[in-house]
Amino acid sequence: MDDLEILFEFQQEGEGTEEEVEAKYNSVMEVLEDVEFRSTLNQEEDELTCNLEINAGAGGTEACDWAEMLYRMYVMYGEKNGFKVTEVSRVNGDVAGVKSVGIEVKGDYAYGMLKGENGVHRLVRISPYNSQGKRMTSFASVFVHPQIDNTIEIEVNPADIEWDTFRASGAGGQHVNKTDSAVRVRHLPSGIAVECQQERSQHLNREKALTMLKSRLYQVELEKKRAERDKVESKKMKNEWGSQIRSYVLDDRRVKDHRTKYENRNTDAVLAGDIDGFLKAFLMWEGV
């Protein structure tokens, strides 16, 4: 702002151009808009790493393919924005795509940026799996929760959990595919279950799975707090399993968020990870 004021004074005295002032003004506005946006990331959990899970809805191969498209979209978003993205679990579809997949997104404010993706995502397109070329609608659910760190205490009673081991279903080398290195842990009181097949060692997968379980339990507590807040803020759409938060209509070249009304007509770019506009629109909308 100081530089802008000085440059404007020079321009008034004939020692600077209007173009230089306008360029500086635009750069200042970009900074202010970014500061305003960053101010929305003001919750304790916003700065944490996050776990993101995608589950195909009803619809067989078409839904599994849509779930994998979303998976690629989030991986590409992470790569473009400097996050480290690691696949932690996968169940492949019978023909193509995935029935479910989980990823860890690590980096500054990963959860804060992606928390608005919770909900049901709807795809409308001419299906490549339909020989008659019909327009098909598919659904996939996305669940995002913060991965707790050592600054947050979550106690889990060992008597409340049970463990299963199984062979990893995704790519991971001969060792992973020939041994029961993948693990599943169930929290009996809540019914929450998480899987991890990220590491080659069952021991390391057990450590990661327990961290993921604690993160899920932490998310449950956050949701309880938000439910109380939503009683007051009834004007906002509740973020529930059945809430359709966004539609991707490929033949109309339109992606629209039903909460914020933000829209992008470059569907190819969106599916290639260009979702910053949707993420920022949600954060600004949520902060209203």
Side-chain angles (χ1 to χ4, degrees):
M1 285 292 293
D2 290 341
D3 290 346
L4 176 61
E5 290 178 1
I6 292 171
L7 193 60
F8 179 68
E9 290 175 4
F10 284 169
Q11 190 263 331
Q12 293 291 93
E13 296 171 1
E15 297 180 15
T17 67
E18 188 174 326
E19 289 75 15
E20 289 174 322
V21 173
E22 185 173 357
K24 176 60 71 173
Y25 170 79
N26 290 334
S27 69
V28 170
M29 290 306 297
E30 287 180 7
V31 171
L32 289 175
E33 288 172 3
D34 187 62
V35 169
E36 182 183 20
F37 159 66
R38 290 288 172 183
S39 71
T40 65
L41 299 172
N42 55 14
Q43 300 300 310
E44 179 186 20
E45 66 274 11
D46 285 342
E47 61 187 86
L48 299 177
T49 290
C50 76
N51 292 105
L52 187 148
E53 301 168 17
I54 305 168
N55 294 283
T61 300
E62 182 73 21
C64 289
D65 188 49
W66 172 223
E68 185 159 47
M69 289 168 67
L70 285 172
Y71 164 72
R72 289 196 301 268
M73 181 181 79
Y74 291 121
V75 169
M76 295 177 76
Y77 163 78
E79 291 173 347
K80 290 177 179 178
N81 289 273
F83 293 112
K84 180 182 178 183
V85 181
T86 306
E87 183 179 303
V88 296
S89 65
R90 168 186 285 257
V91 178
N92 291 320
D94 296 331
V95 177
V98 293
K99 293 180 180 178
S100 66
V101 62
I103 60 175
E104 176 188 85
V105 185
K106 182 179 292 186
D108 292 341
Y109 291 94
Y111 175 71
M113 290 299 300
L114 288 166
K115 63 184 178 182
E117 295 302 284
N118 267 315
V120 176
H121 295 242
R122 170 178 173 259
L123 171 71
V124 181
R125 66 170 175 175
I126 305 298
S127 172
Y129 300 101
N130 187 294
S131 59
Q132 299 177 335
K134 289 185 177 180
R135 200 174 192 240
M136 303 286 289
T137 299
S138 305
F139 297 90
S141 62
V142 175
F143 178 50
V144 186
H145 55 90
Q147 186 177 107
I148 63 169
D149 58 17
N150 55 16
T151 65
I152 298 172
E153 292 291 334
I154 297 291
E155 295 295 331
V156 176
N157 188 340
D160 289 340
I161 60 177
E162 62 179 23
W163 294 91
D164 294 322
T165 58
F166 58 98
R167 293 189 181 184
S169 61
Q174 293 181 343
H175 174 81
V176 173
N177 292 327
K178 290 185 177 180
T179 64
D180 291 343
S181 60
V183 301
R184 180 185 300 109
V185 59
R186 292 187 180 86
H187 185 247
L188 302 178
S190 66
I192 293 174
V194 298
E195 297 179 0
C196 184
Q197 51 185 285
Q198 174 183 350
E199 307 291 346
R200 294 169 62 88
S201 152
Q202 183 186 120
H203 174 71
L204 293 175
N205 279 330
R206 285 172 70 94
E207 287 185 358
K208 174 68 74 172
L210 191 57
T211 297
M212 293 167 64
L213 174 62
K214 289 181 178 180
S215 298
R216 288 286 298 271
L217 294 172
Y218 180 58
Q219 176 72 14
V220 169
E221 292 304 311
L222 291 177
E223 292 296 337
K224 289 179 181 177
K225 293 178 181 178
R226 287 174 186 151
E228 291 299 317
R229 184 191 64 190
D230 286 344
K231 290 179 182 179
V232 179
E233 300 181 7
S234 57
K235 64 177 182 177
K236 295 181 180 177
M237 178 190 298
K238 290 191 176 181
N239 190 19
E240 298 171 338
W241 178 270
S243 297
Q244 178 182 300
I245 67 166
R246 191 176 304 146
S247 291
Y248 306 69
V249 187
L250 302 194
D251 50 345
D252 286 346
R253 311 238 9 121
R254 173 171 53 87
V255 182
K256 182 176 182 179
D257 194 290
H258 301 295
R259 302 160 300 179
T260 65
K261 311 307 178 186
Y262 182 85
E263 189 171 307
N264 187 334
R265 290 196 166 268
N266 190 342
T267 54
D268 292 338
V270 171
L271 293 175
D274 184 13
I275 57 174
D276 279 290
F278 292 100
L279 304 183
K280 291 180 179 180
F282 172 80
L283 290 169
M284 297 299 289
W285 171 82
E286 186 184 44
V288 172

